[in-house]
Amino acid sequence: MKKLAFLLAFMLCFSIAKAQKAEQQIDKLMTSWHQAAAKADFNGYFGLLHDKSIYMGTDATERWTKSEFINFAKPYFDRGRAWDFTAVDRHISFSKDGNTAWVDEILDTKNMSLCRGSGVLIK
């Protein structure tokens, strides 16, 4: 019985550690994505967006396909500085199979006060 309890506890710890690692990876990915915009790293930023992605901007009128968003944002990236968002609060949730994650975050923008961001990531 003690061996079974140990095995179950080990499996639970392993599962928790795996989930924490996945959350850390997504946290790092999101942070680097925001940093790519701040550094005007066009490929680093837009390379993470799927061709069928939709970008919801901070303004209520901003809903763009990837190509529309690129057309809007390219002049900012071309001048060497786009926008600078830093997450001050980030929540990450996963589907049961772990292949889909949802992110919502509060972002400090330095010149627009606090904004909200959200996204879906698919493995």
Side-chain angles (χ1 to χ4, degrees):
M1 197 63 156
K2 286 183 181 181
K3 287 182 182 179
L4 179 60
F6 175 77
L7 181 60
L8 290 174
F10 176 77
M11 290 173 56
L12 178 62
C13 288
F14 179 75
S15 178
I16 291 170
K18 187 176 176 183
Q20 287 174 335
K21 182 178 180 187
E23 187 169 332
Q24 289 169 348
Q25 289 173 328
I26 289 176
D27 184 65
K28 184 177 178 181
L29 175 84
M30 292 301 298
T31 297
S32 67
W33 187 62
H34 289 308
Q35 289 171 344
K39 296 184 295 187
D41 175 2
F42 184 88
N43 292 329
Y45 189 81
F46 288 100
L48 290 175
L49 296 179
H50 188 277
D51 288 342
K52 293 184 179 181
S53 64
I54 299 294
Y55 185 87
M56 308 294 284
T58 54
D59 184 87
T61 63
E62 297 175 338
R63 183 186 189 280
W64 294 306
T65 64
K66 181 178 180 178
S67 61
E68 290 170 334
F69 186 39
I70 286 173
N71 289 336
F72 165 80
K74 189 153 179 7
Y76 293 95
F77 281 79
D78 287 347
R79 73 177 186 201
R81 183 162 171 84
W83 41 89
D84 191 356
F85 292 163
T86 302
V88 295
D89 187 33
R90 180 177 288 149
H91 301 272
I92 302 168
S93 305
F94 293 92
S95 61
K96 284 187 178 185
D97 65 6
N99 290 326
T100 305
W102 294 267
V103 177
D104 67 273
E105 53 191 5
I106 304 290
L107 301 166
D108 180 6
T109 63
K110 296 186 175 86
N111 49 343
M112 290 192 309
S113 190
L114 294 178
C115 292
R116 179 173 297 283
S118 61
V120 178
L121 293 87
I122 301 171
K123 193 184 266 186

